[in-house]
């Protein structure tokens, strides 16, 4: 296997992992009420209990509020579809990786600004910010690998060039 092919395989493996994580993250936003019941049965934490009560109340009295989290889940799934474009042609679609990096960076100011406005304890905002911090790591690795791939000659290029030299 050529170095180029090996690099393409590593890029695709990293992308598959990232896409799977995006899809799983999105899918977990659909059943929030049940997830909080499960979390509260495992861990006794004041904030989790408060969130669970709020979700139970919203679900019982104002279920349309949870529609916002359905859209959050859908957005994760749509973003995952964009990353499939990187899987198909990493060099041409590197902009999607770069946009993902910008989105990861945007998580931090969002959590720092909206967290206090919405009454989210700072520790939980730090957990939210960690998604941006840890999400950008595989994207940085991907970008670096794609730039290496872009700099490589196509497979067979050197062999063709050597046979055409007079």
């Amino acid at each position: 296997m050529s170095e180029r092919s090996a690099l393409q395989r590593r890029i695709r493996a990293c992308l598959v992992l990232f896409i799977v994580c995006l899809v799983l993250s999105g899918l977990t936003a659909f059943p929030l009420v049940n997830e909080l019941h499960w979390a509260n049965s495992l861990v006794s934490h004041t904030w989790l209990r408060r969130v669970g009560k709020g979700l139970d109340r919203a679900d019982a009295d104002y279920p349309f509020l949870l529609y916002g989290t359905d859209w959050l889940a859908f957005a994760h799934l749509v973003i995952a579809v964009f990353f499939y474009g990187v899987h198909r042609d990493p060099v041409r679609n590197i902009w999607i990786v770069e946009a993902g990096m910008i989105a990861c960076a945007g998580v931090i100011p969002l959590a720092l600004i909206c967290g206090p406005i919405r009454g989210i304890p700072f520790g939980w905002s730090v957990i939210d910010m960690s998604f941006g911090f840890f999400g950008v790591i595989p994207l940085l690795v991907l970008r670096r690998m794609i730039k290496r791939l872009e700099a490589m000659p196509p497979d067979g290029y050197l062999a063709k060039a050597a046979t055409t030299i007079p």
Side-chain angles (χ1 to χ4, degrees):
M1 178 183 305
S2 71
E3 183 182 350
R4 182 179 180 82
S5 296
L7 182 57
Q8 287 173 322
R9 286 177 57 119
R10 286 195 304 273
I11 289 169
R12 288 193 172 111
C14 194
L15 274 166
V16 166
L17 175 66
F18 192 78
I19 290 169
V20 166
C21 288
L22 267 173
V23 168
L24 290 175
S25 178
L27 293 177
T28 62
F30 285 116
L32 283 182
V33 175
N34 291 332
E35 287 173 345
L36 259 294
H37 288 166
W38 176 75
N40 279 314
S41 71
L42 293 176
V43 178
S44 179
H45 189 276
T46 305
W47 176 250
L48 281 180
R49 282 193 306 277
R50 182 172 184 220
V51 172
K53 285 180 187 176
L55 282 174
D56 282 341
R57 176 94 186 266
D59 190 37
D61 298 339
Y62 311 103
F64 53 85
L65 291 175
L66 298 178
Y67 189 52
T69 61
D70 296 337
W71 281 103
L72 170 70
F74 178 72
H76 279 78
L77 301 176
V78 169
I79 292 167
V81 169
F82 278 97
F83 277 93
Y84 179 69
V86 182
H87 188 276
R88 289 180 54 198
D89 189 341
V91 173
R92 192 173 80 191
N93 293 316
I94 193 171
W95 67 272
I96 297 169
V97 173
E98 293 167 344
M101 292 166 61
I102 293 167
C104 285
V107 167
I108 294 169
L110 179 83
L112 289 173
I113 294 167
C114 295
I117 290 171
R118 302 289 184 207
I120 307 297
F122 182 72
W124 288 92
S125 290
V126 170
I127 292 170
D128 291 338
M129 288 185 280
S130 74
F131 284 93
F133 178 79
F134 290 112
V136 80
I137 293 171
L139 295 177
L140 285 166
V141 170
L142 270 169
R143 186 178 186 283
R144 189 180 82 229
M145 288 191 296
I146 292 169
K147 287 294 188 180
R148 277 184 45 218
L149 181 67
E150 182 180 33
M152 289 180 167
D155 280 337
Y157 176 78
L158 294 176
K160 287 178 190 173
T163 60
T164 59
I165 296 175

